[in-house]
Amino acid sequence: MKSCWATESKLSQAREHYRACFLCEHRCAANRLSGERGPCKADAVARVYKHRIEVGEESELVPSHLFYLSGCDLRCVFCIAEANAFDPRRGQPLTPEFFHKAVAWGRSQGARTLEWVGGEPTIHLPAILEAMADCPDLPPVIWKSDFHFTEEALGLLDGAVDVYLADFKFGNDACARRLAGIKRYVEIVTRNLILASRQGDLIVRHLLMPGHFDCCFRPVVRWMRENLPTAKFSIRDGYLPRWQALHYDEVAMPLPPAVADEARALAGAAGLRLVV
Amino acid sequence: MEPDDLSPLSEITILPDGRVYAFGATRPVLEVLESLRGPEGNSDERLQRLMQTLRDQDLTREDRSK
Ligand code: SF4
């Protein structure tokens, strides 16, 4: 039986993006079925390069069954998923049959939630909705995303997702351009945070990076205080230089230990609702 | 279905100053970290909170199966 959100109209609207893709704010309109590729390089097949039960997410979400999809619309130089994030040909195809068996396995292992991660899952949204549409015994679904998606994509997620787990990485456009290769970052991500907060539970994450306290962390806290003061806010302090981060001086080192304490104190003083 | 896992490792990184990072943390990984850091409450708050959550869930499951 199909989930109630999974109407034929929604699924076919989602599939249309494979013909002219507007899933992320690159809005490149690539016909992914006919061999065109946008900046994400993805075709019309979503691929899972890893799935397993993990407990490193926010404590209210664990144990969570994470499905890692290859491919991303951003190009973060510090990406922890490294090549898996940027090569959408990696992994096995996400078919409903594969997914349903995997979900049953996850349930048998005690998973309380199911989480889509990447790369960036939004670039594979049509295949994900198709896989979830008639999946029996689906646990609460978490959408872990860079939030660089379009309003159209977010509309398609309505009803299918229980918790939006947002990576609010940068507090200004210059850092986003330099370290992730994208434009209009703040405008796009903050718009989507507001919209997602009306559509489901929202946890906003910020990964502390060395050298980005004043330019990124402080503005993120300020924006949260002014716009989403009651949303859950999660400070991640496990930054290590990965992928190409060694070529960028300030992020080529681990986070100095005192920064995490200072960040928590600042967010606490701003009245944000911290979760761990 | 057992995961057909293309990158099956969890990674633990220990910095020279003793800080420990775990990526792809599974329950057995957390248990190893907890044992490394000793039972005297000197593991960090997040690790303790996660372990407590998992133990509470174990108890709930046991209660339900009684
Ligand atoms: S998801 Fe990929 S194909 Fe679609 S708009 Fe973004 S970059 Fe283009």
Side-chain angles (χ1 to χ4, degrees):
Chain A
M1 199 183 76
K2 287 211 184 302
S3 303
C4 53
W5 55 263
T7 59
E8 194 40 53
S9 134
K10 179 179 286 233
L11 295 174
S12 77
Q13 269 179 47
R15 276 192 296 268
E16 273 308 301
H17 284 278
Y18 283 153
R19 275 180 213 293
C21 188
F22 296 96
L23 289 171
C24 85
E25 281 290 354
H26 287 304
R27 292 191 166 274
C28 69
N31 183 337
R32 294 163 55 172
L33 291 168
S34 72
E36 283 178 21
R37 301 287 175 262
C40 71
K41 298 198 192 127
D43 58 17
V45 178
R47 291 181 177 81
V48 177
Y49 69 87
K50 175 165 72 174
H51 76 96
R52 65 179 175 195
I53 314 296
E54 293 193 12
V55 297
E57 306 299 274
E58 284 70 11
S59 56
E60 65 192 80
L61 306 176
V62 300
S64 188
H65 190 177
L66 272 67
F67 286 80
Y68 289 83
L69 298 169
S70 57
C72 190
D73 53 332
L74 267 52
R75 289 292 177 269
C76 300
V77 299
F78 49 85
C79 182
I80 194 174
E82 303 188 322
N84 285 323
F86 304 125
D87 183 356
R89 294 166 305 181
R90 292 182 174 223
Q92 56 186 303
L94 173 70
T95 61
E97 189 194 17
F98 158 78
F99 180 67
H100 298 180
K101 281 189 192 153
V103 169
W105 172 82
R107 282 292 210 187
S108 75
Q109 301 298 302
R112 290 172 58 225
T113 57
L114 183 152
E115 183 172 335
W116 294 104
V117 296
E120 169 58 38
T122 312
I123 67 170
H124 300 299
L125 196 154
I128 292 174
L129 293 182
E130 205 84 52
M132 291 201 299
D134 54 2
C135 181
D137 201 23
L138 198 61
V141 172
I142 304 161
W143 197 258
K144 157 81 165 48
S145 170
D146 58 29
F147 267 52
H148 184 248
F149 44 64
T150 57
E151 289 181 66
E152 298 96 295
L154 185 59
L156 291 168
L157 288 169
D158 196 9
V161 164
D162 297 283
V163 181
Y164 293 89
L165 185 51
D167 262 334
F168 194 173
K169 297 173 201 278
F170 306 107
N172 70 87
D173 287 347
C175 292
R177 182 112 192 230
R178 178 166 164 266
L179 297 179
I182 44 169
K183 301 174 192 164
R184 295 169 50 230
Y185 177 85
V186 173
E187 173 201 332
I188 292 165
V189 170
T190 56
R191 174 200 72 200
N192 288 339
L193 288 171
I194 300 275
L195 294 174
S197 72
R198 299 178 188 146
Q199 198 164 291
D201 201 3
L202 172 69
I203 300 175
V204 181
R205 264 189 192 173
H206 179 79
L207 173 67
L208 292 168
M209 290 190 292
H212 286 266
F213 196 89
D214 290 332
C215 55
C216 289
F217 182 68
R218 277 186 200 279
V220 163
V221 167
R222 198 176 315 124
W223 186 88
M224 288 294 296
R225 189 188 62 210
E226 288 167 6
N227 297 279
L228 288 173
T230 58
K232 295 171 185 163
F233 188 61
S234 174
I235 295 174
R236 308 291 279 190
D237 59 6
Y239 177 86
L240 286 178
R242 300 286 291 260
W243 192 229
Q244 294 155 352
L246 292 175
H247 303 302
Y248 294 77
D249 284 349
E250 85 282 11
V251 291
M253 65 189 75
L255 189 75
V259 175
D261 291 340
E262 195 184 344
R264 289 205 173 82
L266 184 80
L272 299 191
R273 189 173 160 201
L274 290 171
V275 293
V276 290
Chain B
M1 168 193 266
E2 289 291 334
D4 178 14
D5 198 334
L6 301 179
S7 58
L9 300 180
S10 294
E11 289 179 33
I12 297 178
T13 303
I14 305 178
L15 297 190
D17 64 9
R19 280 183 286 163
V20 179
Y21 297 75
F23 295 109
T26 60
R27 180 163 185 163
V29 167
L30 283 198
E31 285 167 353
V32 168
L33 288 180
E34 195 185 37
S35 70
L36 279 177
R37 290 174 162 213
E40 305 302 327
N42 57 354
S43 59
D44 70 23
E45 186 206 349
R46 185 170 150 68
L47 173 59
Q48 287 180 1
R49 172 83 75 100
L50 282 170
M51 286 308 298
Q52 193 55 49
T53 303
L54 295 173
R55 289 191 182 113
D56 290 348
Q57 286 168 9
D58 288 347
L59 289 176
T60 313
R61 257 200 301 277
E62 275 166 28
D63 279 352
R64 278 208 210 105
S65 62
K66 273 179 197 159

